[in-house]
Amino acid sequence: MPGHEWSGTVVELGPGTDPELLGKPVVGEGFRNCGRCAPCRRGDTTLCTAEYDETGFTQPGGWADELRIPARLLHVQPDGADLRAAALLEPAACMAAATLLAAVVPGERVAVIGGGTLGLLATQLLATQLLAASGPAELVVVDPRASRAVPASRFRGATGFYSPGAARAGSTWWWRRRARRARGRRRCGCAAAAAGWC
C-alpha cells in the first residue's frame, strides 16, 4: 500500500516499547534505516547502507488501515494535534534540511524548480523562515503550470514565477534543461529541484 507521508495514533505496542506511546498522535520517518552505519551515525539516515526499506514503498504505507513502524522512528505530536496537517511534517522537514544545506548567502538568486507540494513548501513555508533570513535577492519558482504562480507568491514567498510552457510528463531531461536555462538567464547561485514525475 502506498503512502509515505502520514500521521496517526498508536493503537498497539510491540514488546519492549515505551508504554507511554499508547494512544499518542505520531508522525513517522519513512526510511527504515539501520541506525548503525556511518551515514546513520552522522544523521544522514536517508543514505543508510543497509538494504533499502521504506514505509509506503517496500512496506505498507499510509493508505493501509494500520502500519507497523519501529518505535524509534516515531515522533510524538502534542495532544489534540491536527493529524491531517501533521502528515506534511515529513516533506516540510525534507525541504528544511535541503534549504539549510543550500546555505544561501545574502544577495544570492535562488530558483525552485517545480511548484508542487515540495516546491511550495520550500517557497512559501521555508523562504520566509530560512531563505529570507539569509537575504536572497530573488526567489524564482519554475513550473510549466501557470496556475501555480499565485500560490508560489503567497506569504512573502516567490519574488518571481517562470512558466516555460507545457512539459512532457515524466521527462526529467526537460526539467534539467529548464533548470540550466533558468540558472543562465537569472544567474541563480542556487537551484532547488522539487519536480516530480507528473
Side-chain angles (χ1 to χ4, degrees), residues 1-24:
M1 298 286 288
H4 62 287
E5 296 159 357
W6 59 273
S7 61
T9 304
V10 178
V11 295
E12 192 175 342
L13 303 174
T17 307
D18 182 358
E20 292 291 318
L21 273 177
L22 194 60
K24 295 289 185 181

Side-chain angles (χ1 to χ4, degrees), residues 6-186:
W6 59 273
S7 61
T9 304
V10 178
V11 295
E12 192 175 342
L13 303 174
T17 307
D18 182 358
E20 292 291 318
L21 273 177
L22 194 60
K24 295 289 185 181
V26 295
V27 295
E29 297 177 35
F31 284 99
R32 296 174 180 226
N33 55 78
C34 73
R36 297 181 300 274
C37 68
C40 283
R41 289 196 309 271
R42 68 172 178 260
D44 293 328
T45 54
T46 58
L47 302 177
C48 179
T49 59
E51 185 176 347
Y52 171 68
D53 196 12
E54 185 177 3
T55 300
F57 292 93
T58 60
Q59 299 287 337
W63 289 5
D65 291 334
E66 292 182 350
L67 301 177
R68 184 179 295 185
I69 306 287
R72 65 184 174 83
L73 299 179
L74 295 178
H75 297 273
V76 176
Q77 301 303 296
D79 289 335
D82 180 348
L83 290 179
R84 193 169 288 189
L88 286 176
L89 286 174
E90 187 270 343
C94 290
M95 294 317 299
T99 304
L100 290 171
L101 193 61
V104 176
V105 297
E108 188 170 21
R109 287 188 169 96
V110 178
V112 176
I113 313 300
T117 302
L118 290 178
L120 291 178
L121 280 168
T123 304
Q124 296 178 358
L125 303 177
L126 304 175
T128 55
Q129 299 170 23
L130 301 172
L131 290 176
S134 300
E138 190 174 7
L139 177 58
V140 178
V141 173
V142 179
D143 195 285
R145 288 154 286 212
S147 61
R148 290 185 169 173
V150 172
S153 63
R154 285 187 186 148
F155 310 116
R156 296 183 297 153
T159 59
F161 187 88
Y162 176 59
S163 183
R168 294 182 186 176
S171 179
T172 55
W173 66 265
W174 186 93
W175 284 109
R176 289 189 190 114
R177 186 177 68 184
R178 291 300 179 187
R180 283 196 296 271
R181 287 183 181 177
R183 285 179 68 117
R185 284 190 189 136
R186 300 285 189 173

